[in-house]
Amino acid sequence: MVLGTASQVPTRHRNHNGYVLLWDGQGIMFDPGEGTQRQMLRAGVAAHDLHRICVTHFHGDHSLGLAGVIQRLNLDRVPHPVTAHYPASGQRFFDRLRYATAYRETVALAEAPVAADGPLAATASYTLDARKLSHPVESYGYRLTEPDGRRMLPELLAERGIRGPDVGRLQKEGALGGVTLDEVSEVRRGQRFAFVMDTRLCDGVYALAEGCDMLVIESTFLDEDEQLAVDHGHLTAGQAARVAVDAGGAAPRADALQPALPRPGRLRTAGPRRRVRRRTDRRPRPDARAPPQANLSPPPPHTQHRTERDRTMPIPKAELHLHIEGTLEPELAFALAARNDVELPYADTEELRKAYLFEDLQSFLDLYYSLMAVLRTEADFEELADAYLTRAAAQGVRHAEIFFDPQAHIARGVPIATVIEGLSRALERSEERHGISTRLIMCFLRDQSAESAMETLEAARPHLHRIIGVGLDSAEVGHPPVKFKEVYEAAAALGLRLVAHAGEEGPPSYITDSLDLLRVERVDHGLRCMEDPELVERLVRERVPLTLCPLSNVRLRAIDVLEEHPLARMLDAGLMCTVNSDDPAYFGGYVDDTFHAVREALGIGQEQLRTLARNSFEAAFLDRDAADEELRARYLAEVEAYSFD
């Protein structure tokens, strides 16, 4: 994410420098200039997202924001340690900025000054290195390198008859039935990212840029002013472009950056001074040891299924089964708890994550609803939705139909208007800010009474212009669809679209009753339809969409292991399946993480993934008017044009 690109002084339209890279659960901030705190708010970056701060040099447009960012980390009581890297020769400047004013220190901020070229840190996800640059003051550039992994090849797996649980066993054991892992997989070269600011051409520039999938590199002067660039310690536009070409073997994209980038992973024009150069081809360089990967698109903070996958911009998709309360990451939960003076029964985020060991749906719901206590104000719900949309954009989501549970909030004394207005504020700017069209679906809690559901529907009447439909969620067993028949009839009379959870824990008959008694247009989950061949035939014949959530099914013990999920069989049967994340903060991955998880675990091929993406848009409620249909057509065209290469 780009928070600013202005040099020397901010302009009317551009903030000082500031960049944030989200990489497998870690947020790394580069060169926070003046105004970075404000830009973080605009871009949806929370202090809790940050784990490292890397400063290239101590000129003001690259470091004046340090004071505010460090104080914000402490004000928000970030629960994890944060490490700061900066030129060792600038220690006195760092000290002045760190303690520019009085504040209470609550965060473990580790100082890690850089005094020489070489590695600075190593994690399971990356190695961070520094290289000295050439500038009037001491300056270092930074480079992240991901470890190499392996990519399973669905076509070769199919040729050798390996699918389902056998794929996981082969990955774990290295060989199965005479087939080795090397025969059905290939090396996936780790992604590389480099950050190069304010420097003349030097060895450090080339060392940082070599083989990068994404290179952030400055160019302050035009080529005709090359001598000025040398005098002042900067690059020309042509020099930066040549570095990118030499490093990656392709003509670079010369996209200037705008402050508070509205859609993570996409770079847009906003001014002439800073440039991002990144590779856009996939052809190997003559001296490359392994084929290069596609452009790096930063992943969201909490993704367990992304360490063995390519980070190209994901295939466009709609997310149709997403509970907004289920996107409440522990870091945001603690931040909101502090803001609203709510005491959580957990010492820190790690202890809270350990609580995510569910025995079944009900044990999950007990935690899920208790954690909602931190959501109190419109601003809380707005921040929750905006945080999800930021992550969803990086996961390739182009359209999202978002569930919310008003009864759970009303019971805590939070008015339904607070919930809807807060969520709507984030959703209304979603297309402009994140490139995601949105719809809002109000869910009834099926373990509460039908009378309560009807009262909730009545309370929502003044807000129906913000709601497209109603759904039915929470504990399924013992709460059959017939219980809510009259509520659904009333909702239909108000012109609302109808969906319902069915066939997750409940029997196949719950799916049938949802279709016949509630008249739903989509079935959420629908997993157990495979136990009833006649029901499967009906679902195929009537093209009823199923919004499946494979990671959720595993975490809630509906399926023992992902390799046993029936998704592949359901697609083979002709069912209109979609893949979604359900409650991603709790279940270990967002929607594109789920796409890649089922691809690895089930051996699902590229065209089946395209089918899942296509189904998601065809099943979406994008049919209110001609504008909706045009939007759907555009999304479907993006799916068909998408290249997995």
Side-chain angles (χ1 to χ4, degrees):
M1 296 183 186
V2 179
L3 308 179
T5 61
S7 59
Q8 292 192 333
V9 295
T11 73
R12 291 183 181 181
H13 304 293
R14 289 192 293 156
N15 200 70
H16 264 174
N17 287 281
Y19 309 81
V20 175
L21 176 68
L22 302 178
W23 183 295
D24 278 1
Q26 292 227 351
I28 304 172
M29 172 172 282
F30 297 92
D31 281 10
E34 180 184 342
T36 295
Q37 274 197 88
R38 180 187 64 248
Q39 297 298 91
M40 288 171 63
L41 291 173
R42 292 186 61 192
V45 178
H48 289 65
D49 291 333
L50 302 181
H51 295 75
R52 294 185 189 276
I53 302 172
C54 295
V55 177
T56 60
H57 64 290
F58 282 100
H59 277 155
D61 50 337
H62 295 263
S63 62
L64 279 175
L66 265 174
V69 171
I70 291 173
Q71 292 190 25
R72 181 62 180 271
L73 292 170
N74 286 275
L75 178 64
D76 288 359
R77 298 176 180 270
V78 170
H80 52 257
V82 177
T83 303
H85 304 281
Y86 50 87
S89 61
Q91 184 67 53
R92 67 188 186 282
F93 300 121
F94 184 86
D95 292 342
R96 292 170 186 170
L97 289 165
R98 180 173 182 177
Y99 297 110
T101 66
Y103 65 95
R104 182 181 179 186
E105 291 190 272
T106 63
V107 174
L109 179 64
E111 297 181 8
V114 183
D117 291 353
L120 303 177
T123 73
S125 300
Y126 64 81
T127 298
L128 176 66
D129 289 273
R131 289 292 183 274
K132 194 168 186 177
L133 300 174
S134 176
H135 197 54
V137 299
E138 188 174 38
S139 181
Y140 283 88
Y142 298 94
R143 175 183 171 101
L144 277 80
T145 304
E146 178 191 34
D148 291 343
R150 298 203 71 86
R151 181 188 296 108
M152 303 302 291
L153 301 174
E155 296 78 8
L156 296 181
L157 288 168
E159 285 178 10
R160 289 160 176 78
I162 297 176
R163 62 180 302 163
D166 287 342
V167 176
R169 284 195 286 269
L170 177 60
Q171 289 176 300
K172 182 178 180 180
E173 299 171 11
L176 184 68
V179 178
T180 66
L181 184 61
D182 288 344
E183 292 178 69
V184 292
S185 66
E186 64 184 8
V187 173
R188 180 191 61 75
R189 194 200 69 164
Q191 298 279 294
R192 293 102 188 269
F193 167 88
F195 186 79
V196 180
M197 286 283 127
D198 291 20
T199 180
R200 306 174 182 91
L201 282 177
C202 63
D203 291 343
V205 171
Y206 293 106
L208 291 163
E210 173 58 30
C212 274
D213 300 281
M214 177 177 278
L215 170 63
V216 179
I217 186 167
E218 69 96 13
S219 61
T220 303
F221 292 89
L222 298 175
D223 284 359
E224 54 263 37
D225 296 320
E226 182 174 347
Q227 188 56 51
L228 283 174
V230 172
D231 293 343
H232 292 280
H234 288 277
L235 297 174
T236 70
Q239 288 171 335
R242 285 189 292 275
V243 169
V245 170
D246 291 345
R253 280 183 54 174
D255 294 332
L257 303 176
Q258 70 179 30
L261 188 68
R263 188 169 182 194
R266 295 206 172 178
L267 309 175
R268 293 175 157 185
T269 301
R273 294 186 64 82
R274 300 281 185 214
R275 296 286 189 265
V276 162
R277 311 290 178 184
R278 64 177 185 175
R279 298 180 50 212
T280 56
D281 77 325
R282 296 176 64 84
R283 297 170 295 168
R285 299 183 302 280
D287 60 344
R289 296 185 179 180
Q293 304 300 308
N295 301 334
L296 177 67
S297 177
H302 181 53
T303 53
Q304 296 180 3
H305 294 276
R306 301 194 114 188
T307 56
E308 296 296 326
R309 59 165 288 189
D310 187 2
R311 288 182 184 79
T312 58
M313 190 62 192
I315 187 169
K317 60 185 71 67
E319 179 144 47
L320 306 178
H321 190 147
L322 184 285
H323 300 270
I324 196 62
E325 295 89 352
T327 68
L328 181 58
E329 296 283 347
E331 292 80 6
L332 180 57
F334 271 89
L336 296 180
R339 187 161 77 192
N340 294 323
D341 198 24
V342 174
E343 184 174 350
L344 293 176
Y346 307 98
D348 52 32
T349 57
E350 290 308 311
E351 184 177 331
L352 176 53
R353 286 200 190 281
K354 290 177 183 177
Y356 292 5
L357 299 176
F358 316 119
E359 297 178 0
D360 51 27
L361 178 60
Q362 188 57 56
S363 60
F364 154 66
L365 291 173
D366 291 342
L367 173 65
Y368 179 80
Y369 291 123
S370 67
L371 204 56
M372 284 187 196
V374 303
L375 297 167
R376 298 289 183 86
T377 67
E378 288 187 16
D380 297 340
F381 288 97
E382 179 183 9
E383 188 170 344
L384 176 69
D386 201 58
Y388 161 70
L389 292 165
T390 298
R391 295 183 176 97
Q395 298 262 316
V397 174
R398 301 286 280 115
H399 177 76
E401 297 186 357
I402 295 172
F403 297 142
F404 72 104
D405 291 332
Q407 288 160 287
H409 305 299
I410 293 171
R412 300 184 294 108
V414 179
I416 192 171
T418 297
V419 182
I420 295 174
E421 292 304 314
L423 294 175
S424 296
R425 286 213 300 254
L427 268 52
E428 285 169 356
R429 63 172 183 264
S430 176
E431 283 198 71
E432 178 182 356
R433 187 170 187 176
H434 303 287
I436 301 176
S437 54
T438 59
R439 303 288 184 268
L440 195 57
I441 296 176
M442 180 176 72
C443 287
F444 305 119
L445 301 180
R446 67 194 309 152
D447 55 353
Q448 296 194 17
S449 68
E451 291 75 19
S452 174
M454 190 69 82
E455 291 171 2
T456 303
L457 181 61
E458 288 299 315
R461 275 182 178 267
H463 311 283
L464 292 184
H465 61 292
R466 300 191 183 280
I467 300 170
I468 196 172
V470 298
L472 189 62
D473 63 12
S474 194
E476 187 178 3
V477 174
H479 302 284
V482 65
K483 174 179 173 182
F484 297 93
K485 185 174 183 295
E486 292 183 3
V487 179
Y488 268 67
E489 289 173 348
L494 293 172
L496 295 169
R497 312 300 289 266
L498 309 175
V499 301
H501 287 44
E504 178 186 16
E505 285 193 322
S509 61
Y510 278 22
I511 302 174
T512 301
D513 288 348
S514 294
L515 295 171
D516 294 338
L517 302 179
L518 304 186
R519 316 298 293 179
V520 300
E521 302 169 72
R522 282 197 315 245
V523 174
D524 298 316
H525 290 298
L527 188 69
R528 295 187 63 185
C529 73
M530 297 300 284
E531 300 172 19
D532 185 340
E534 290 185 4
L535 175 58
V536 170
E537 289 181 11
R538 176 183 178 182
L539 294 171
V540 172
R541 183 175 63 253
E542 297 180 7
R543 293 283 290 165
V544 177
L546 305 178
T547 63
L548 298 172
C549 305
L551 296 185
S552 163
N553 297 150
V554 175
R555 291 298 299 272
L556 297 180
R557 313 294 174 83
I559 301 290
D560 288 334
V561 294
L562 191 58
E563 288 80 4
E564 296 177 3
H565 198 282
L567 173 62
R569 290 188 288 116
M570 297 173 84
L571 288 171
D572 290 343
L575 287 163
M576 190 179 184
C577 300
T578 70
V579 166
N580 308 269
S581 64
D582 203 354
D583 299 279
Y586 295 86
F587 298 149
Y590 287 76
V591 64
D592 199 60
D593 304 312
T594 308
F595 265 63
H596 283 267
V598 298
R599 178 178 180 176
E600 295 291 328
L602 304 176
I604 287 178
Q606 294 175 351
E607 290 310 309
Q608 287 179 302
L609 294 176
R610 194 187 307 277
T611 295
L612 291 169
R614 185 188 302 119
N615 287 349
S616 70
F617 291 117
E618 291 179 349
F621 292 144
L622 286 171
D623 53 8
R624 294 178 302 183
D625 50 32
D628 267 5
E629 293 290 0
E630 182 180 345
L631 192 60
R632 190 207 306 266
R634 186 166 81 243
Y635 291 153
L636 288 171
E638 291 180 13
V639 172
E640 300 307 321
Y642 182 82
S643 173
F644 289 94
D645 296 330

